[in-house]
Amino acid sequence: MTTGTQDANGTTLKQRYTDVKSRIAAAAKHVGRRPEDVMLVVVSKSGTVEQIRELMQMGQVDFAENRVQQLLQRAAQIDEWRARHAELGGTAPAIRWHMIGTMQRNKVKKAVEVTRLVQSVDSLRLAEELQVAAAKRETPVEVLVEVNVSGESSKHGVAPGAARHLVAQIETMVNVRARGLMCMAPLAGGPAAARPCFERCRELYEDIRQTGAGGEHFNILSMGMSGDYEVAVECGANLVRVGGAVIGPPQVFEEPGEA
Ligand SMILES: *Cc1c(COP(=O)(O)O)cnc(C)c1O
C-alpha cells in the first residue's frame, strides 16, 4: 500500500493522519491549550512497516508497540531502511520508540536498547529490572508509571493509591527516570466513561507533581487512544497514543499464488 491508496474505509493514511492531528489541535484549543504541547504517538502494532515509513516521511517521529519482539524487529528493519535511504542522499530522523505493553522479564534487557520511553511500568519489580538492564546505557531509561484508574481487573497498572509511592521508589534508582503517568479508559462506555478516568489520572498526576516525588522531569501525562483522545486532551493529556484512527482497518494480505 502506498501513499494515496485508499483503505477499505475509503480514506488514505495521509488523510487519517492529518485528520487526527487537526482533531488534537482543535481539542487543545478548545480548552485553551497549545496544540504543540500535545505529542502524538502513533501506535503501529496493527500496521505495516511500510505504513511506518510513510508516516516518517510525513514527519512522524514517535511510534509505539506493545510487544517487545515486534518492537525489536521493526526497529531493526527501520534502521536498515534509514541506512539505505541515507546512502541515496535521503534523510529521515530516527524513530523514538515507545513500549506500551507488558514486558516479560527475559526481554527487558533487549527492549531498553531501543526504547525511548517505557510507558507500561506497573510494578517495583519491573522498575528494578529496568534499573539493571539500563546499567550499560549512557542515559537513564525513561518510564511512565501505568495506573489502573478504571479499576477493571483486566487492566494492568498500579492502583491509584500506590502510584506516588512507586514514582518515589523509581526516583531513587540511578538508571531509571520517572517521567509521568499513563492510563487507559474503561473498555466499554466510550468517551463518556473515559472522562472521569482521565480526570482522576490528571489529579493524581498533579498531586505527584506538587509533592515533588517525581522531580522536575516528571511532566508527561499519557492518556487517550483512537476512541477517546480528544477527551483526553481536554482533560490535560500531553501525550496521546493513537493506533487504529491513523493506521486504519487491519490490512488483509493476499495469499501468494492467488490472483
Ligand atoms: C493498542 C493500544 C493503543 C492504541 O489503541 P487504538 O484504539 O488502536 O488507538 C493505545 N495504548 C495502548 C496501551 C494500547 O495497547
Side-chain angles (χ1 to χ4, degrees), residues 6 24 27-28 34 47 58 62 66 69 80 85 95 102 115 125 129 158 176 181 202 208 217 223 229 231 257:
Q6 290 184 356
I24 290 170
R34 299 187 310 172
M58 295 174 207
D62 289 88
N66 67 339
Q69 204 57 40
E80 209 174 286
H85 196 60
I95 284 185
T102 42
T115 309
R125 186 164 150 179
E129 276 159 16
V158 297
V176 189
L181 300 182
R202 163 78 187 269
I208 295 173
H217 44 254
M223 343 187 263
Y229 64 90
V231 177

Side-chain angles (χ1 to χ4, degrees), residues 16 29 33 41 43 52 58 66 70 97 100 111 130 132 153 163 184 206 216 228-229 241 247 258-259:
R16 291 189 297 272
K29 284 188 194 139
R33 301 179 57 204
V41 174
V43 179
I52 296 173
M58 295 174 207
N66 67 339
Q70 182 157 307
W97 290 105
I100 57 171
L130 288 163
V132 173
S153 58
M184 281 201 258
E206 296 294 353
E216 274 175 18
D228 50 32
Y229 64 90
R241 312 174 308 270
I247 294 299
E258 270 182 26

Side-chain angles (χ1 to χ4, degrees), residues 213-241:
E216 274 175 18
H217 44 254
F218 189 89
N219 59 7
I220 300 177
L221 182 57
S222 170
M223 343 187 263
M225 319 196 332
S226 291
D228 50 32
Y229 64 90
E230 291 159 285
V231 177
V233 170
E234 287 175 8
C235 294
N238 56 16
L239 185 159
V240 293
R241 312 174 308 270

Side-chain angles (χ1 to χ4, degrees), residues 13-51:
L13 184 62
K14 180 152 201 173
Q15 282 168 342
R16 291 189 297 272
Y17 180 62
T18 310
D19 181 57
V20 166
K21 284 185 76 96
S22 62
R23 281 169 185 270
I24 290 170
K29 284 188 194 139
H30 184 62
V31 290
R33 301 179 57 204
R34 299 187 310 172
E36 61 269 31
D37 290 343
V38 182
M39 173 189 276
L40 167 62
V41 174
V42 172
V43 179
S44 45
K45 66 188 179 197
S46 65
T48 63
V49 172
E50 195 170 31
Q51 285 181 310

